[in-house]
């Protein structure tokens, strides 16, 4: 199913329908993964992220209680899913760090990157335990139970959404809360240093990614401006995600110091640090662009887009 506001429906009602739809997708992918189980898990995780983001948007409905319960259920399902997967990306991060140190053509002696990094990559692969383990049926059953509870909470939200009708005020309040949290995370990412900076950057990425899911649903209100903003969010996510991969790589290197040539380790570490510095500089510029607009103005603009789109659709329907 498509993920985007259906302008023929009241927005709050449609947001709840979208949550329920994403929960159905997650359940379907987990219960019937088909030939590509890894792709099914990826789709399930993406659907859960969308469901949680819209549940955050809908917090102002019904005093927020059904939304909080729904969010807790989805969070629990996602954690079980994350624990069941190996998210290691050190092999790709290692190659990126090596290229940053010696360039894509090899080092001064003409040695190609593979010849240098394969032994270290193999050690890193063995250190993290090899291939991802399949999702156990018991884990799928536990996730499914959590999501059935979330679907019950979505039905409660649906009653509240129908009660407010076409009122956009609850969505405006939910969007303001999410945008303020993302801006606050961006400020923290610019102020902190060291390990705290790693965590702050990761939090900023998470907040803007969550807000991005909401705005993807919102995009039919006016695709041009909203999708341009979403492009910026995607760039930010890629930059901070790539930096986080380098942080993970550097955290694993010390444990291999006794098994790897010291000069090679120094080259990789220096390349990783250099790549992180470059990625963070670009991420900082992206954060400045994304936080330039105050939350009040951001929300007023997008609520106006939705109100105009809805009014236009209603006029067309009555013509």
């Amino acid at each position: 199913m498509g993920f985007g506001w259906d302008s023929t429906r009241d927005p709050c009602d449609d947001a709840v329908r979208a949550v329920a739809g994403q929960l159905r997708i997650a359940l379907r992918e987990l219960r019937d993964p088909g030939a590509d189980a890894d792709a099914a898990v990826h789709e399930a995780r993406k659907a859960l992220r969308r469901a949680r983001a819209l549940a955050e948007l809908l917090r102002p409905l019904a005093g927020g209680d059904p939304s909080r319960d729904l969010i807790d259920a989805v969070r629990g399902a996602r954690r079980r899913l994350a624990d069941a997967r190996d998210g290691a990306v050190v092999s790709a991060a290692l190659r990126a760090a090596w290229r940053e140190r010696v360039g894509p053509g090899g080092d001064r002696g003409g040695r190609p990157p593979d010849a240098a990094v394969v032994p270290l990559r193999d050690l890193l692969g063995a250190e993290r335990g090899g291939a991802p383990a399949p999702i156990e049926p018991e884990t799928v059953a536990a996730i499914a139970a959590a999501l059935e509870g979330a679907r019950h909470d979505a039905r409660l939200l649906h009653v509240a959404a129908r009660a407010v009708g076409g009122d956009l005020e609850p969505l405006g309040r939910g969007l303001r809360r999410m945008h303020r949290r993302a801006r606050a995370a961006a400020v923290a990412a610019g102020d902190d240093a060291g390990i705290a900076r790693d965590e702050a950057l990761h939090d900023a990425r998470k907040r803007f990614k969550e807000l991005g899911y909401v705005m993807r649903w919102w995009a039919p209100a006016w695709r041009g401006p909203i999708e341009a903003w979403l492009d910026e969010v995607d760039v930010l996510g890629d930059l901070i995600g790539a930096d986080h991969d380098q942080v993970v790589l550097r955290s694993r290197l010390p444990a291999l110091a006794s098994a790897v040539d010291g000069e090679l380790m120094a080259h990789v570490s220096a390349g990783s640090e250099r790549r992180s510095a470059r990625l963070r500089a670009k991420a900082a510029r992206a954060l400045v662009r994304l936080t330039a607009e105050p939350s009040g103005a951001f929300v007023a603009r997008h609520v106006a887009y939705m109100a105009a789109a809805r009014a236009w659709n209603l006029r067309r329907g009555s013509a």
Side-chain angles (χ1 to χ4, degrees):
M1 63 179 292
F3 183 72
W5 171 48
D6 180 348
S7 59
T8 66
R9 298 185 183 278
D10 290 337
C12 285
D13 177 72
D14 188 68
V16 178
R17 287 174 182 270
V19 170
Q22 294 304 307
L23 294 176
R24 284 196 299 272
I25 289 172
L27 281 167
R28 183 189 68 215
E29 295 290 345
L30 293 173
R31 286 171 168 166
D32 185 19
D36 192 344
D38 193 60
V41 169
H42 174 73
E43 290 301 317
R45 295 180 74 185
K46 186 165 63 175
L48 291 176
R49 291 189 187 103
R50 288 170 168 171
R52 179 177 173 178
L54 286 179
E56 287 283 359
L57 177 70
L58 292 164
R59 272 183 184 268
L61 280 176
D65 290 337
S67 281
R68 280 192 292 270
D69 292 342
L70 193 157
I71 290 165
D72 288 343
V74 172
R75 182 186 293 120
R78 284 187 57 208
R79 282 176 178 168
R80 284 180 177 272
L81 206 52
D83 290 344
R85 279 173 57 89
D86 178 21
V89 290
V90 290
S91 182
L94 173 59
R95 288 185 59 81
W98 183 256
R99 286 195 301 271
E100 192 75 27
R101 176 65 182 86
V102 301
D107 65 10
R108 293 190 185 97
R111 181 177 57 184
D114 277 349
V117 303
V118 164
L120 180 55
R121 185 179 62 203
D122 290 345
L123 281 170
L124 286 165
E127 190 264 345
R128 71 174 184 264
I135 307 298
E136 295 293 335
E138 294 80 4
T139 300
V140 173
I143 293 171
L147 294 187
E148 288 295 349
R151 292 175 72 179
H152 169 74
D153 296 321
R155 285 191 287 272
L156 296 178
L157 274 178
H158 212 165
V159 174
R162 286 176 174 172
V164 301
D167 188 1
L168 300 181
E169 192 272 341
L171 295 185
R173 280 196 286 146
L175 186 62
R176 183 178 294 106
R177 178 177 179 273
M178 295 181 74
H179 192 268
R180 284 175 174 169
R181 289 171 70 188
R183 291 187 88 231
V187 170
D191 288 346
D192 291 331
I195 294 175
R197 178 100 186 271
D198 297 337
E199 295 173 352
L201 279 168
H202 184 67
D203 186 54
R205 178 179 184 246
K206 180 173 66 176
R207 296 299 180 193
F208 272 104
K209 195 168 186 176
E210 187 173 66
L211 183 60
Y213 281 121
V214 166
M215 297 314 299
R216 288 189 195 283
W217 172 80
W218 207 292
W222 195 351
R223 289 199 177 275
I226 295 176
E227 289 184 353
W229 182 89
L230 286 168
D231 288 343
E232 289 278 2
V233 172
D234 289 343
V235 168
L236 176 70
D238 290 345
L239 290 168
I240 297 178
D243 172 57
H244 183 67
D245 294 348
Q246 294 300 321
V247 172
V248 172
L249 171 64
R250 292 196 296 273
S251 74
R252 294 177 183 271
L253 290 178
L256 306 177
S258 61
V260 179
D261 176 75
E263 184 178 0
L264 171 62
M265 189 75 79
H267 287 342
V268 170
S269 181
S272 180
E273 293 285 359
R274 183 174 290 109
R275 179 161 174 76
S276 275
R278 188 162 58 83
L279 291 165
R280 290 183 181 196
K282 290 182 177 180
R285 293 193 290 272
L287 284 169
V288 168
R289 292 191 295 271
L290 285 168
T291 57
E293 187 174 25
S295 294
F298 180 89
V299 172
R301 182 162 61 88
H302 288 94
V303 168
Y305 292 165
M306 182 170 280
R310 186 164 179 272
W312 171 254
N313 188 72
L314 289 173
R315 284 198 299 271
R316 285 200 308 167
S318 62

